[in-house]
Amino acid sequence: QKEVEQNSGPLSVPEGAIASLNCTYSDRGSQSFFWYRQYSGKSPELIMFIYSNGDKEDGRFTAQLNKASQYVSLLIRDSQPSDSATYLCAIPASGGSYIPTFGRGTSLIVHP
Amino acid sequence: KAGVTQTPRYLIKTRGQQVTLSCSPISGHRSVSWYQQTPGQGLQFLFEYFSETQRNKGNFPGRFSGRQFSNSRSEMNVSTLELGDSALYLCASRQGVGTEAFFGQGTRLTVV
């Protein structure tokens, strides 16, 4: 059974700061990872995808993957109040398992 | 192209009743997954269908069931509703195993 752990937060950061969101996973065989953002009352939307060790940057977002330590993180630079949401880490289905596994999410609050 | 469509958006039912929710995936996507989301439990996997076959089922009682039609549209049914079934029910479609999931807007079910 794959497990994904996230600190539920809330993580509160001032506007313009770097927000760091972390996720650990139990399945060493996991090859790729997704980050979803979910605004209150809305459905999750994909914001980042990473499958290689190291960093992947997309605008203000950077995903970092460390397979040896089994963690993946999401950095948001120059945080804006509009970034306030819950961020979900997910391991997609792979191999013989068709079940993508989601963490419970970290609530991020960016205050002006 | 059109996204994932879920109907209805909101439902209020009384205990003991049954309910059917509908999901139309993105055109060309044959995989449809259902999730229950509550504040306390996060995103919980219900089941996944691919080409009209249930490929995996989460840890939910038999009151929760689903099906998929030849056009990939899916329905889920909950019988003998309980208060604890109140949740946001999300449907996600994917092109294949390991690919990103695209979520519908969800159906907010309230059981009174």
Side-chain angles (χ1 to χ4, degrees):
Chain A
Q1 175 73 29
K2 294 183 289 187
E3 292 187 358
V4 178
E5 297 291 336
Q6 292 183 260
N7 187 322
S8 62
L11 173 65
S12 182
V13 301
E15 183 174 358
I18 296 176
S20 178
L21 305 161
N22 299 310
C23 169
T24 59
Y25 59 93
S26 61
D27 183 4
R28 282 196 171 274
S30 298
Q31 296 297 313
S32 54
F33 305 85
F34 296 128
W35 280 100
Y36 288 81
R37 176 178 61 200
Q38 186 175 23
Y39 291 113
S40 180
K42 304 294 185 182
S43 60
E45 58 176 327
L46 181 73
I47 55 172
M48 287 288 285
F49 169 83
I50 187 168
Y51 59 89
S52 298
N53 266 335
D55 296 359
K56 178 181 179 182
E57 188 174 317
D58 183 1
R60 295 187 296 110
F61 297 91
T62 299
Q64 299 176 318
L65 174 59
N66 184 321
K67 291 186 179 180
S69 300
Q70 294 178 241
Y71 80 79
V72 57
S73 60
L74 179 70
L75 302 178
I76 306 175
R77 291 183 302 281
D78 189 23
S79 296
Q80 302 296 309
S82 59
D83 294 325
S84 299
T86 296
Y87 290 80
L88 302 163
C89 172
I91 300 175
S94 61
S97 167
Y98 298 107
I99 306 175
T101 304
F102 286 83
R104 292 194 180 186
T106 298
S107 173
L108 173 66
I109 299 172
V110 181
H111 53 86
Chain B
K1 59 185 172 183
V4 180
T5 304
Q6 289 188 248
T7 56
R9 292 291 309 278
Y10 303 92
L11 267 177
I12 300 176
K13 292 286 188 178
T14 56
R15 278 181 298 175
Q17 286 187 309
Q18 74 166 21
V19 66
T20 299
L21 312 181
S22 179
C23 172
S24 293
I26 292 171
S27 178
H29 287 191
R30 291 192 292 167
S31 166
V32 174
S33 302
W34 288 91
Y35 295 84
Q36 180 195 68
Q37 189 175 38
T38 57
Q41 297 298 318
L43 266 175
Q44 301 288 301
F45 173 78
L46 281 156
F47 27 66
E48 190 220 9
Y49 287 88
F50 184 87
S51 294
E52 303 179 66
T53 301
Q54 187 181 88
R55 280 204 297 204
N56 261 301
K57 190 177 191 302
N59 190 25
F60 277 82
R63 300 185 297 107
F64 292 81
S65 62
R67 59 178 175 169
Q68 186 180 34
F69 303 95
S70 59
N71 62 358
S72 294
R73 189 177 70 85
S74 178
E75 290 181 344
M76 68 163 281
N77 184 278
V78 188
S79 62
T80 320
L81 285 166
E82 301 177 358
L83 295 179
D85 297 333
S86 296
L88 178 66
Y89 289 88
L90 290 161
C91 161
S93 81
R94 292 183 291 150
Q95 199 162 32
V97 174
T99 61
E100 63 186 287
F102 294 89
F103 286 87
Q105 290 303 301
T107 296
R108 173 75 62 184
L109 172 65
T110 302
V111 182
V112 297

